[in-house]
Amino acid sequence: MIDFNRPAMVGKELEYIADAVRRGALCGDGYYSKQCSRWMKERYHAGHAMLTTSCTHALEMAAYLVDIQPGDEVIMPSYTFVSTADAFVLRGARIVFTDIRPDTLNLDEKKVEAAITPRTRAIVPVHYAGVACEMDTIMDIAAAFRLKVVEDAAQGVESEYKGKPLGTIGDFGCFSFHETKNYTMGEGGALLFHDDSMLERAEILREKGTDRSRFFRGQVDKYRWVDYGSSYLPSELNAAYLYAQLEEHDKINEKRLSLWKLYHDSFLDLEESGLVSRPVIPEGCRHNAHMYYLKAKDLEERTRLIGWLREKGIYSVFHYVPLHSSPAGQKFGYFSGEDRYTTRESERLIRLPMFYDLKPEEALYIIDAVHAFYA
Ligand SMILES: *Cc1c(COP(=O)(O)O)cnc(C)c1O
């Protein structure tokens, strides 16, 4: 059986975990957490990069820091993971779902303006499959209407838009280091932002509402409960695993990109015969091979293809059920405009196995199985 995903182990993960244990402090913000933050700050030229317990939690922090109030509206694609919406719903927001582009399956920037009302506070572009949204247009709209932009870059670590790392273009960027993502710590994430004036509130929020971070820097002589907060610090054990992966980011990225290219080149003939659609990478976008997907003719054909591959020992999966069609999506939000592509494209999409340890011969076996289905 070829799995859909397996978490990567590239080298020093276990050594660093053992070292974290030897250092004798397993809670958050120790040596390895600091190494990971420093690495992200330097590599992505991010003003601030805080390791969190998940991308969901990074999104929750962002929703709090942009000061979402009950009744405020937040614009996002319906074709996304539940956490993108959950984080804002927790603060009482109403979610305004917009349609996606059929090429990248990202938020259609041309539909954003029509979704804005006097209650709109933020736009949340989701960089699907690690391929950037049309950020120039989104940032221009946000500036014109004084809206905040929170990038859901869960899948976009090491991807770029016009030379800028994803997660560093909007007011806040959220990464995921979940086991299914390119770089992992089991469960984990990060919050990135530039604005220094947000730093203190972010630290307090992340540290249970206390000024513990200032205390450790010697800026106050005792730490106290000063505001609302939660606990968003991952353990050092997780951070140690992640740091070993960040150090080998090129190795992971190159391997994934070569598998992606193998799939992509091999399915050109099926696309030219009009049987499937392949992913599109727009001009100016550098992606990270987070995912390889194909689009079949329709739901019925996709269901048969998934079953066909399963019989051949290949585990392929579909992806998001559009949020606006789910019970919570109907309760907490509404779809703005026409659902031209969201439902249709989501029903056609099939994701093929894509992970660091996938062997080229396994990928070739999968490629042959897909060709046999269409023969
Ligand atoms: C994985 C993912 C998340 C959630 O990440 P966690 O780290 O599991 O909380 C959020 N948004 C998108 C688009 C994702 O792919």
Side-chain angles (χ1 to χ4, degrees):
M1 190 80 195
I2 302 178
D3 292 326
F4 173 68
N5 177 64
R6 267 179 246 150
M9 276 270 271
V10 280
K12 296 193 173 157
E13 286 90 344
L14 299 179
E15 188 186 314
Y16 285 178
I17 288 175
D19 182 55
V21 173
R22 271 194 300 273
R23 285 170 186 270
L26 299 182
C27 66
D29 279 346
Y31 175 78
Y32 285 102
S33 298
K34 290 201 176 103
Q35 291 293 76
C36 292
S37 296
R38 180 194 50 77
W39 188 91
M40 287 186 278
K41 271 195 279 195
E42 285 171 8
R43 180 153 179 88
Y44 303 130
H45 308 288
H48 306 284
M50 294 179 172
L51 216 53
T52 59
T53 29
S54 65
C55 180
T56 305
H57 285 164
L59 287 160
E60 283 182 15
M61 288 183 69
Y64 180 77
L65 293 167
V66 302
D67 207 18
I68 296 295
Q69 297 295 323
D72 286 350
E73 291 179 355
V74 177
I75 296 170
M76 66 180 64
S78 170
Y79 187 67
T80 184
F81 190 56
V82 287
S83 299
T84 321
D86 269 331
F88 292 88
V89 166
L90 194 60
R91 306 240 65 82
R94 191 159 166 70
I95 308 299
V96 179
F97 298 112
T98 52
D99 209 6
I100 49 170
R101 292 165 43 145
D103 58 350
T104 56
L105 310 179
N106 280 333
L107 175 76
D108 185 343
E109 66 281 358
K110 294 192 192 73
K111 305 283 166 60
V112 171
E113 221 172 301
I116 295 173
T117 76
R119 303 232 52 174
T120 309
R121 289 280 301 151
I123 307 171
V124 188
V126 179
H127 305 296
Y128 187 69
V131 179
C133 296
E134 182 28 50
M135 289 306 289
D136 280 350
T137 309
I138 292 169
M139 294 308 289
D140 285 349
I141 295 170
F145 290 87
R146 296 167 175 270
L147 305 175
K148 298 290 183 188
V149 174
V150 176
E151 294 177 72
D152 182 338
Q155 303 174 12
V157 182
E158 284 290 300
S159 291
E160 288 178 358
Y161 171 80
K162 299 187 180 172
K164 291 181 212 152
L166 300 191
T168 67
I169 303 165
D171 297 278
F172 292 92
C174 303
F175 285 168
S176 175
F177 299 118
H178 184 265
E179 144 180 323
T180 51
K181 303 303 199 286
N182 293 25
Y183 308 94
T184 188
M185 55 199 281
E187 300 271 1
L191 178 71
L192 278 61
F193 57 97
H194 295 287
D195 185 354
D196 293 333
S197 72
M198 288 286 171
L199 178 62
E200 198 177 315
R201 280 183 71 215
E203 283 178 343
I204 290 168
L205 172 63
R206 186 164 165 272
E207 285 264 32
K208 298 99 180 161
T210 70
D211 53 0
R212 193 159 172 262
S213 295
R214 292 176 69 206
F215 171 72
F216 280 133
R217 284 196 297 267
Q219 291 165 328
V220 286
D221 58 6
K222 54 176 180 284
Y223 78 83
R224 299 165 307 159
W225 182 28
V226 291
D227 203 348
Y228 169 82
S230 188
S231 182
Y232 293 127
L233 290 75
S235 142
E236 273 289 281
L237 298 176
N238 301 61
Y241 195 100
L242 178 64
Y243 190 57
Q245 303 226 323
L246 296 180
E247 281 189 329
E248 298 285 2
H249 63 279
D250 278 341
K251 200 165 145 189
I252 296 177
N253 205 29
E254 279 161 23
K255 182 83 180 286
R256 294 185 77 108
L257 283 165
S258 75
L259 286 167
W260 195 96
K261 191 169 181 306
L262 178 60
Y263 276 138
H264 204 59
D265 293 346
S266 307
F267 293 128
L268 175 64
D269 59 337
L270 293 184
E271 187 173 66
E272 283 177 345
S273 325
L275 294 167
V276 300
S277 310
R278 297 180 305 158
V280 172
I281 312 296
E283 186 78 24
C285 295
R286 201 181 67 119
H287 75 109
N288 60 359
H290 172 62
M291 192 189 297
Y292 197 86
Y293 64 79
L294 290 173
K295 286 188 279 180
K297 185 160 63 69
D298 53 23
L299 177 61
E300 185 273 326
E301 185 181 282
R302 179 186 73 180
T303 307
R304 279 194 295 116
L305 178 53
I306 290 176
W308 170 272
L309 293 174
R310 194 71 58 97
E311 273 170 32
K312 300 194 156 20
I314 300 161
Y315 197 78
S316 65
V317 295
F318 56 86
H319 211 184
Y320 308 129
V321 175
L323 295 184
H324 75 282
S325 67
S326 62
Q330 283 168 7
K331 185 165 153 197
F332 297 121
Y334 67 92
F335 199 93
S336 161
E338 184 198 351
D339 170 9
R340 193 144 165 227
Y341 297 112
T342 300
T343 300
R344 194 184 88 184
E345 300 304 295
S346 72
E347 289 181 343
R348 297 171 60 201
L349 185 132
I350 165 171
R351 303 161 73 197
L352 299 178
M354 166 59 82
F355 51 88
Y356 178 76
D357 286 317
L358 185 69
K359 295 181 188 68
E361 56 269 29
E362 290 175 314
L364 288 170
Y365 174 74
I366 296 163
I367 289 161
D368 284 347
V370 174
H371 277 95
F373 176 82
Y374 283 106

